[in-house]
Amino acid sequence: MDPVQISFTVIAALVVLALIFDFLNGFHDAANAIATVVSTGVLKPTQAVAWAAFFNFIAIFVFHLSVAATVGKGIVDPAAVDHIVVFGALSGAIAWNIITWYFGIPSSSSHALIGGIVGATLAKAGTGPLVWSGIAKTVAFIIISPMLGMLLGAAMMLAVSWIFFHKQPSKIDRWFRRLQLVSAAAYSLGHGGNDAQKTIGIIWLLLLSGGYLAHGDELPYWVVVSCYVAIGLGTLFGGWRIVRTMGQGITKLKPVGGFCAETGGAITLFLASALGIPVSTTHTITGAIVGVGSSHRVSAVNWGLAGKIVWAWVLTIPCSALMAAIAWWFGHYVL
């Protein structure tokens, strides 16, 4: 095979690997979008994943590619990225996703990918190519996104409780069972809009490094469509191990609480996507669920489980970075 054919084969294989990560992202994070609507009994699991997957894809028509641009250009200098760095980044992120899915830990696929990019780049070229401002913004939102989700979830729960103070609980439950369909759709829209773009960003980097795109070229539309399809299919197959943790493990939810948590999380995701910040849907919805639970009473939240989830957040970037660095070393000898 001549060099061009080999180059195209490697690029094509890595695009497939990126779409596998995107599928696993949807599979792993499906629980974030459907856990509350399933645990409150509003939808059956099969209905819930179909609902979420549909709105994951519809996000293609709603959001600009601001997050993709951040991942593609705002974490590391694209000039330092080659196919081996992309291989290491994706391998590290996929490995961490599989490990946390197996143990039912709601970690962040987004930060696993960011950690993978950083780890593989460090293994290749050290700290020079890292864009510290972009990394700092992403790390800051590890704290900001769950805090904002928690504040919005708690505020909405308190507002709803005050507005419907004199209403019969049975009527409120019936109204919010319907409204939770809207909030689940909004959250899934935000999930697709933020998370699919992270894979778009990594493929963008790959095409730039392989010479298939020049700086300033428009991103091919097949990249955008394939990434949204992949995350939607991943959501459709769902990560059921995590649903139990997110749905009832942190706090017991009723339809009104599910609506408030999903709406608070959706607002956070919409804001982050508009600003081009790659945030964790896991962190966001966890914070919103904690906010809803703590608005009743602090003891309503399983703080022990919440603490374990926070540890997973802390470990995601360094662990995925380490795995990516090992994968880069392996790819350096194989690719």
Side-chain angles (χ1 to χ4, degrees):
M1 300 175 75
D2 62 43
V4 174
Q5 289 175 312
I6 294 172
S7 177
F8 177 79
T9 301
V10 170
I11 293 292
L14 289 174
V15 167
V16 171
L17 187 64
L19 293 176
I20 290 172
F21 166 79
D22 201 24
F23 175 88
L24 289 173
N25 189 340
F27 183 88
H28 188 279
D29 291 359
N32 302 339
I34 69 168
T36 56
V37 79
V38 170
S39 64
T40 56
V42 172
L43 288 177
K44 295 179 181 178
T46 51
Q47 296 171 328
V49 291
W51 186 257
F54 174 74
F55 285 98
N56 274 177
F57 180 76
I58 291 298
I60 193 174
F61 305 110
V62 178
F63 296 98
H64 295 292
L65 297 179
S66 304
V67 175
T70 298
V71 174
K73 302 174 183 178
I75 303 299
V76 299
D77 182 355
V81 176
D82 58 17
H83 61 288
I84 304 175
V85 169
V86 172
F87 169 77
L90 290 170
S91 298
I94 288 171
W96 183 249
N97 267 0
I98 292 173
I99 290 169
T100 51
W101 165 81
Y102 181 80
F103 289 103
I105 301 170
S107 67
S108 169
S109 298
S110 307
H111 292 141
L113 182 60
I114 299 299
I117 295 170
V118 170
T121 303
L122 283 171
K124 179 195 175 186
T127 60
L130 300 183
V131 180
W132 291 107
S133 60
I135 294 171
K137 183 167 62 174
T138 301
V139 171
F141 267 78
I142 294 177
I143 300 171
I144 294 171
S145 64
M147 290 298 293
L148 184 57
M150 183 171 68
L151 289 172
L152 288 171
M156 290 199 65
M157 191 67 204
L158 291 171
V160 167
S161 299
W162 181 76
I163 292 169
F164 295 97
F165 182 74
H166 296 293
K167 299 293 183 182
Q168 292 181 3
S170 59
K171 287 186 177 181
I172 294 174
D173 188 73
R174 187 164 59 249
W175 291 342
F176 279 95
R177 287 177 71 85
R178 297 189 183 100
L179 286 172
Q180 209 181 346
L181 294 175
V182 178
S183 63
Y187 190 84
S188 297
L189 198 67
H191 173 218
N194 201 277
D195 276 23
Q197 289 195 43
K198 291 149 191 170
T199 307
I200 293 171
I202 200 79
I203 295 177
W204 198 343
L205 266 177
L206 179 64
L207 295 177
L208 284 169
S209 67
Y212 290 87
L213 280 180
H215 289 279
D217 284 354
E218 189 173 336
L219 187 68
Y221 199 59
W222 66 262
V223 175
V224 180
V225 173
S226 60
C227 287
Y228 276 99
V229 168
I231 199 169
L233 288 174
T235 298
L236 194 61
F237 285 90
W240 300 110
R241 288 175 182 266
I242 303 173
V243 169
R244 291 188 296 273
T245 302
M246 297 296 291
Q248 294 293 349
I250 298 172
T251 190
K252 303 298 180 184
L253 290 174
K254 293 181 179 180
V256 61
F259 169 81
C260 293
E262 287 166 345
T263 305
I267 293 170
T268 304
L269 291 179
F270 275 59
L271 177 63
S273 296
L275 295 173
I277 301 169
V279 300
S280 166
T281 55
T282 307
H283 296 187
T284 302
I285 194 64
T286 301
I289 292 172
V290 169
V292 168
S294 59
S295 69
H296 295 293
R297 61 185 186 279
V298 174
S299 60
V301 176
N302 184 343
W303 293 105
L305 179 58
K308 291 178 182 178
I309 293 171
V310 170
W311 271 112
W313 298 354
V314 172
L315 294 172
T316 290
I317 289 181
C319 286
S320 56
L322 176 61
M323 293 177 182
I326 294 170
W328 178 88
W329 178 83
F330 176 78
H332 183 68
Y333 291 98
V334 173
L335 297 179

